Amino acid sequence: MRSDAGTPSDIPGPPTEDDGTAAIAAAGGLHEYQLRLHAEYGPVVRFPLPGAGLAVSVADPVLLEATAKINKRPEKLFEFLAPLQESGNLQTIPAEEHGPWRRVMLSVLAGRPSHEAHFARFTALAAELADRWEAHDGPVALQQDLSELSLRMICQYALGSGLESPDSAARVVSAFETVLTEYMGQAGDGAGSRAQEALAYLRATVDQVLTAHRERGDSAPAGRSDLIAALVEAGESPARIRDTVLMTMLAAHHTTGVAISWTLYLLARHPDASARVAEELDRVLGDRLVPEYADLKRLTYLDMVLRETMRLYPPGPYGAREATEDIVLGDYTVPAGTTIFYPFWAVHTNPDYWPDPQTFDPGRFAPEASAGRPRLAYIPFGIGPRSCEGAALATVEAQLVLAVLLRRFAFRSAPGQTVTPIERFVLWAAEDIHLTVTPRESA
C-alpha cells in the first residue's frame, strides 16, 4: 500500500501531518533530526522533508547500493541555486547533459596535473595564514580564518589570472560572501541590490578570464590542469562556463576550511593522535616547513586523521536524489519519483559498521581495518554520478593545509569553550572553534 504522496506507507517513520519544519527545528537541525529518526525507526525511515513532501532516508550502506546509480537530484530542493545560474541549474540538469559535463570536470578536478599545477600557490596561501597566526596574540578563530583560506584557494583555482593581485582576490571573496549570505538567506523573496551587484561583479570577473583565455588562444594541455580551458575545449557555452566556475566556487566554499577546522579541533582534544601526526610530519618533511606534492601520499596517518574527522563531522551532512524507477530497499519498495535522502552523519555513525561510532579513532582507516567494510559506509562527498567532482582536489587542499599548520604549530582548546555543530550550508560550529596556537620547537 502506498500513501497519497507516493511513498510506501509501511516504511516506519514519524507522523506526517505537517511538513516537518517544526520537528527539525526542535531537534536542532536536519542533521540531528536524522540521527534521532534512525535511532528510533531503524535504517530506512520515511519522513516529511520541507520542500520535497515525504522522503525516504537510508542509513544502511548496503541498502544504499540500490540507489548508487541514480543521476537525478530533486529539483525543488535545489531551486535556491537557480538565481545564481543562467544556463540551467547545474545541480539538477538532466542526466544526458550532466554526464558529458561531469566528465570534463573530473578530467581536471580529479587529475594529478591539475593538483600539481596549483600546488605551489596553495602552499603559499597556507603559509601566509601560518605566518599571520604566528604573529597573533590569543586564540585563533579556526572556521573564520580557514574558510577564508578555502575560498581564496578555490577562487585562485577557478579564476587563475582573474586574481592577479591581493586586492582583486579580496574583492572576489567579499562579493562571493555577499552572494551566499543574501541569496541563501532569502525565503523565495529574491536578493537585494547589494547581492545582485556582487553576482554581476563575479560574472564579469569570470568573463574577463574567458576573454583573456581567448586572446591567448589557451587550450587545455595534456592531462588538463586548467578548468576554464578544458570547458572551452569541450565546446561549452560562455554562460555554461561562467556558471560552472561560480558553482565550483560555491561547492568548495567553506567546505575544505570547515573540514580542516574540525580536524584541528579533534587533534587538540586527542594529544596522542596529535603527537603521532607531528612525528610523521617531522619524519617525512625533515627540515622543510611545507610539503611537496609527492609528500602527501607518504603522510598516511594524517590522511587517516582527516578521514576520521570527516566521518564524525562530514562537511556537508546530507544529500538527496530522486528515484527514477522503483527501488527495492530491503523489505520495502520505493516508487519512482520519491526523494531518497542520504543522512551522511547517520551512515557514518551506524554502529553495525562503525563500532563505538562516536569515538575518534583514526585507526579505523588503516588498510586492515577498512577491509571488508561496505564501500558506502563512508560517503563524505556523496555517492554515484552526482557525487562531488572536486573530492580529490578538496582532499589535496586539506592535506596540504594541515601539513603546513601542524608542522609549525601545536594546538590546544581554548578554556571554557563549548563547540556545537550547526547547519550553515555546511556543518559549522555555532560560535566558531577557538584554539590556542603554539609554535613547535622542532619547527
Side-chain angles (χ1 to χ4, degrees):
M1 179 179 177
R2 297 177 180 177
S3 70
D4 292 341
T7 302
S9 59
D10 55 345
I11 293 181
T16 58
E17 287 80 9
D18 55 34
D19 68 354
T21 300
I24 292 170
L30 188 52
H31 61 299
E32 292 284 359
Y33 185 53
Q34 290 301 306
L35 293 177
R36 296 186 186 185
L37 285 180
H38 286 288
E40 182 174 356
Y41 297 104
V44 182
V45 180
R46 55 118 180 94
F47 74 107
L49 177 63
L54 286 179
V56 174
S57 182
V58 187
D60 185 287
V62 175
L63 297 180
L64 279 175
E65 288 285 358
T67 75
K69 295 182 179 180
I70 299 176
N71 193 345
K72 182 175 176 59
R73 284 198 174 110
E75 293 186 9
K76 287 186 177 181
L77 289 181
F78 290 85
E79 282 180 348
F80 71 101
L81 294 173
L84 308 185
Q85 297 169 85
E86 299 175 306
S87 64
N89 192 328
L90 293 176
Q91 297 297 316
T92 59
I93 55 175
E96 59 270 19
E97 286 186 69
H98 177 257
W101 175 83
R102 177 179 171 84
R103 285 192 289 274
V104 174
M105 295 292 287
L106 287 173
S107 73
V108 180
L109 295 172
R112 176 170 179 160
S114 174
H115 303 163
E116 287 190 303
H118 297 275
F119 196 80
R121 181 56 183 154
F122 287 171
T123 303
L125 289 171
E128 287 175 14
L129 175 62
D131 291 342
R132 195 164 83 239
W133 279 3
E134 188 165 14
H136 180 77
D137 185 22
V140 297
L142 290 191
Q143 294 194 327
Q144 174 183 320
D145 288 352
L146 288 166
S147 291
E148 179 182 342
L149 173 63
S150 174
L151 185 52
R152 285 183 181 277
M153 290 171 79
I154 198 60
C155 286
Q156 175 68 41
Y157 182 92
L159 296 176
S161 59
L163 294 175
E164 293 174 347
S165 71
D167 287 344
S168 63
R171 188 176 177 190
V172 167
V173 169
S174 176
F176 205 73
E177 288 281 6
T178 298
V179 168
L180 283 173
T181 301
E182 295 200 22
Y183 272 103
M184 301 203 177
Q186 300 293 325
D189 299 325
S193 59
R194 184 167 172 266
Q196 293 172 15
E197 290 172 3
L199 181 57
Y201 167 73
L202 290 173
R203 286 175 172 157
T205 300
V206 178
D207 284 340
Q208 291 172 7
V209 176
L210 285 171
T211 299
H213 270 263
R214 285 193 294 268
E215 290 176 350
R216 292 195 304 264
D218 289 354
S219 61
R224 291 184 173 178
S225 64
D226 187 311
L227 177 61
I228 291 178
L231 291 165
V232 170
E233 186 180 273
E236 296 286 359
S237 69
R240 175 60 59 83
I241 295 171
R242 184 191 305 119
D243 285 355
T244 298
V245 170
L246 292 180
M247 286 307 302
T248 300
M249 293 162 64
L250 171 63
H253 179 72
H254 289 325
T255 51
T256 305
V258 165
I260 298 167
S261 300
W262 288 117
T263 304
L264 295 176
Y265 165 72
L266 287 171
L267 286 174
R269 298 183 62 196
H270 297 86
D272 290 347
S274 181
R276 184 170 171 182
V277 169
E279 182 279 327
E280 179 179 73
L281 286 166
D282 292 347
R283 173 169 41 82
V284 171
L285 300 188
D287 59 0
R288 289 177 288 130
L289 289 180
V290 298
E292 298 175 355
Y293 180 74
D295 292 323
L296 296 186
K297 65 181 179 181
R298 299 170 60 198
L299 298 173
T300 54
Y301 188 70
L302 178 66
D303 180 65
M304 290 159 58
V305 166
L306 176 62
R307 289 173 182 269
E308 175 68 347
T309 298
M310 290 194 292
R311 182 187 71 82
L312 288 168
Y313 296 103
Y318 38 75
R321 303 289 187 269
E322 182 179 313
T324 52
E325 59 185 12
D326 290 359
I327 298 174
V328 176
L329 297 174
D331 296 331
Y332 311 108
T333 299
V334 177
T338 301
T339 295
I340 306 294
F341 193 82
Y342 295 154
F344 299 155
W345 226 0
V347 175
H348 287 182
T349 55
N350 186 325
D352 291 340
Y353 305 96
W354 302 101
D356 198 9
Q358 301 302 331
T359 298
F360 174 70
D361 178 11
R364 299 179 196 273
F365 289 94
E368 62 275 12
S370 299
R373 184 181 296 142
R375 71 183 186 98
L376 299 183
Y378 178 70
I379 49 174
F381 297 106
I383 68 175
R386 294 276 178 169
S387 61
C388 176
E389 288 85 7
L393 176 65
T395 301
V396 167
E397 290 176 349
Q399 291 172 335
L400 164 62
V401 174
L402 286 167
V404 170
L405 297 177
L406 292 166
R407 177 69 179 86
R408 288 179 58 171
F409 304 120
F411 294 86
R412 296 193 308 274
S413 299
Q417 177 179 212
T418 299
V419 176
T420 304
I422 61 170
E423 297 164 33
R424 205 192 81 176
F425 193 62
V426 293
L427 195 61
W428 200 254
E431 303 295 334
D432 210 313
I433 302 171
H434 297 87
L435 299 182
T436 59
V437 179
T438 305
R440 289 181 56 218
E441 291 183 7
S442 62

